[in-house]
């Protein structure tokens, strides 16, 4: 006749099993974090250099994917004699760009100039649940600027940090954690970044024509107060770190400008911000580069050839007395 386990003993065994599973999850989560921090190439390699305090550039470019693919730090360094680094990231709106810049300034020193790239969607705020590429941030959620900045956008971010494996099982749809494990074996992603810059050797895709045809009344971007506040804070934290700030609207394909029906309102907000904070606004909306389709791979992004030409023009302007000298 079988002996029924005593309730206290059953509870003890259940607690021991749960504790073992929790410890295992905690260990695997830490292993994934540590592996991703070992990556030395591409987007993780760039972010790891930033978060480990290994950059310390005099000129820093901040912004979205347009910053990422438009500004070549090597060209800026050649023209100004100052070290430069590109913090641009895919899919980030201004309210995510702010904590990234804050984290950079926390871990790195010597910043003399922050170039903040502007987009037509710079005044759009990130909605909860729409932070792009969450696994990129998971190894660094112990950074107070990054954690509080992301949590302010999406309160659910606490789960990424405090529930073991939640981030890598729920938010990581691309199995990014596997890259971290491969890094322990010495397998690194192909290097496609140079000092944070990600040149794209692509040709015009044709997506713009399809997008334009799909619009019946034009395109209107939000002008959220939270996004404007984040942009103002980007200027404030840069100046508090002793850096000058230049707001730059880098080139876009000229035909795309007419699609944005509230473009004048957006630029009026940019200009008002520049006046309030006493910073320069360099608008390349009328750049001849914007007329040359062969320099873009879509309406918002220059390809590698276009980025080289734009970076050269910008660098020559930066080298003039008053900005970097």
């Amino acid at each position: 006749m079988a002996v029924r386990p005593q309730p206290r003993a059953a509870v003890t065994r259940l607690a021991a099993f749960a504790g073992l599973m929790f410890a295992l999850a905690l260990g695997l989560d830490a292993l994934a974090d540590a592996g991703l921090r070992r990556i030395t190439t591409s987007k993780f390699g760039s972010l790891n250099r930033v978060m480990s305090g290994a950059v310390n550039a005099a000129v820093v470019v901040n912004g979205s994917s347009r910053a990422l693919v438009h500004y070549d730090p090597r060209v800026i360094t050649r023209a100004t004699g100052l070290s430069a680094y590109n913090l641009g990231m895919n899919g980030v709106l201004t309210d995510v760009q702010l904590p990234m810049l804050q984290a950079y300034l926390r871990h790195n020193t010597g910043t003399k100039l922050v170039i903040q790239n502007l987009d037509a969607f710079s005044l759009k705020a990130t909605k909860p649940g729409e932070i792009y590429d969450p696994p990129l941030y998971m190894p660094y959620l112990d950074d107070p600027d990054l954690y509080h900045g992301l949590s302010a956008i999406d309160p659910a971010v606490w789960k990424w940090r405090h529930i073991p494996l939640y981030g890598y099982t729920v938010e990581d749809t691309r199995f990014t954690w596997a890259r971290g494990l491969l890094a322990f074996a010495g397998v690194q992603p192909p290097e496609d970044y140079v000092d944070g810059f990600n040149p794209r050797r692509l040709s015009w895709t044709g997506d713009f024509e399809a997008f334009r045809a799909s619009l019946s009344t034009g395109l209107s971007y939000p002008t959220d107060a939270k996004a404007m506040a984040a942009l103002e804070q980007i200027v404030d934290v840069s100046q508090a770190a002793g850096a000058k700030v230049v707001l730059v609207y880098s080139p876009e394909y000229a035909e795309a400008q007419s699609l944005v029906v509230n473009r004048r309102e957006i630029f009026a907000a940019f200009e008002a911000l520049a006046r309030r904070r006493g910073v320069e606004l360099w608008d390349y909306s009328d750049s001849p580069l914007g007329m040359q389709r062969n320099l873009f791979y879509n309406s918002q992004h220059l390809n590698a050839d276009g980025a080289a030409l734009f970076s050269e023009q910008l660098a020559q302007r930066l080298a003039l007395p008053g900005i970097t000298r």
Side-chain angles (χ1 to χ4, degrees), residues 140-201:
Y140 291 107
L141 290 177
D142 56 348
D143 179 89
D145 294 311
L146 201 53
Y147 179 70
H148 292 303
L150 296 178
S151 297
I153 296 168
D154 186 351
V157 168
W158 76 268
K159 299 177 185 176
W160 305 1
R161 182 182 183 188
H162 295 295
I163 300 179
L165 291 181
Y166 178 90
Y168 292 117
T169 55
V170 177
E171 302 288 350
D172 184 8
T173 58
R174 301 175 184 173
F175 301 100
T176 305
W177 54 268
R179 295 183 186 176
L181 299 184
L182 288 172
F184 282 110
V187 179
Q188 299 283 341
E191 182 59 284
D192 52 358
Y193 278 48
V194 181
D195 295 331
F197 169 56
N198 181 209
R200 303 286 177 85
R201 302 194 179 285

Side-chain angles (χ1 to χ4, degrees), residues 2-310:
V3 178
R4 183 183 296 275
Q6 295 298 313
R8 179 175 296 178
V11 170
T12 299
R13 284 197 292 274
L14 180 62
F17 179 77
L20 178 62
M21 291 298 102
F22 182 79
L24 185 61
L26 204 62
L28 290 173
D29 193 272
L31 190 67
D33 285 350
L36 292 174
R37 285 197 294 265
R38 292 172 68 96
I39 294 176
T40 60
T41 56
S42 198
K43 64 178 182 180
F44 271 104
S46 178
L47 181 58
N48 289 336
R49 283 193 287 279
V50 168
M51 301 304 286
S52 63
V55 176
N56 301 304
V59 180
V60 173
V61 178
N62 192 46
S64 67
S65 60
R66 282 174 24 88
L68 174 67
V69 305
H70 285 190
Y71 298 80
D72 188 338
R74 297 169 298 181
V75 178
I76 294 173
T77 296
R78 196 162 53 238
T80 65
L82 298 174
S83 57
Y85 203 81
N86 191 325
L87 301 179
M89 296 172 66
N90 284 320
V92 293
L93 298 177
T94 307
D95 46 8
V96 178
Q97 297 165 25
L98 169 62
M100 281 308 308
L101 178 62
Q102 289 174 308
Y104 173 85
L105 294 172
R106 173 183 292 272
H107 297 286
N108 297 270
T109 61
T111 308
K112 295 182 178 180
L113 173 67
V114 172
I115 300 171
Q116 176 62 39
N117 187 72
L118 299 174
D119 311 299
F121 48 83
S122 285
L123 302 182
K124 177 182 178 182
T126 307
K127 295 180 181 177
E130 294 186 357
I131 295 175
Y132 182 76
D133 200 8
L136 187 58
Y137 308 107
M138 288 175 191
Y140 291 107
L141 290 177
D142 56 348
D143 179 89
D145 294 311
L146 201 53
Y147 179 70
H148 292 303
L150 296 178
S151 297
I153 296 168
D154 186 351
V157 168
W158 76 268
K159 299 177 185 176
W160 305 1
R161 182 182 183 188
H162 295 295
I163 300 179
L165 291 181
Y166 178 90
Y168 292 117
T169 55
V170 177
E171 302 288 350
D172 184 8
T173 58
R174 301 175 184 173
F175 301 100
T176 305
W177 54 268
R179 295 183 186 176
L181 299 184
L182 288 172
F184 282 110
V187 179
Q188 299 283 341
E191 182 59 284
D192 52 358
Y193 278 48
V194 181
D195 295 331
F197 169 56
N198 181 209
R200 303 286 177 85
R201 302 194 179 285
L202 300 173
S203 300
W204 184 258
T205 64
D207 291 346
F208 173 69
E209 285 76 10
F211 177 67
R212 180 171 57 184
S214 70
L215 296 175
S216 56
T217 60
L219 182 63
S220 179
Y221 286 109
T223 53
D224 296 323
K226 291 171 67 173
M228 174 55 84
L231 190 54
E232 298 236 26
Q233 279 187 270
I234 284 174
V235 176
D236 291 344
V237 300
S238 301
Q239 292 176 333
K244 292 182 179 178
V245 179
V246 178
L247 305 175
V248 179
Y249 196 92
S250 58
E252 63 184 343
Y253 183 51
E255 289 186 31
Q257 295 177 13
S258 62
L259 300 182
V260 182
V261 297
N262 62 336
R263 198 169 191 274
R264 183 170 297 180
E265 176 190 359
I266 293 166
F267 272 78
F270 292 158
E271 290 163 359
L273 168 62
R275 285 195 299 271
R276 282 196 303 275
R277 290 296 190 267
V279 301
E280 294 196 33
L281 169 59
W282 295 357
D283 181 8
Y284 285 84
S285 296
D286 296 329
S287 168
L289 299 179
M291 304 294 291
Q292 303 176 60
R293 179 179 293 190
N294 62 309
L295 299 179
F296 292 81
Y297 63 88
N298 61 36
S299 66
Q300 298 302 308
H301 298 93
L302 292 162
N303 58 25
D305 292 337
L309 292 171
F310 167 63

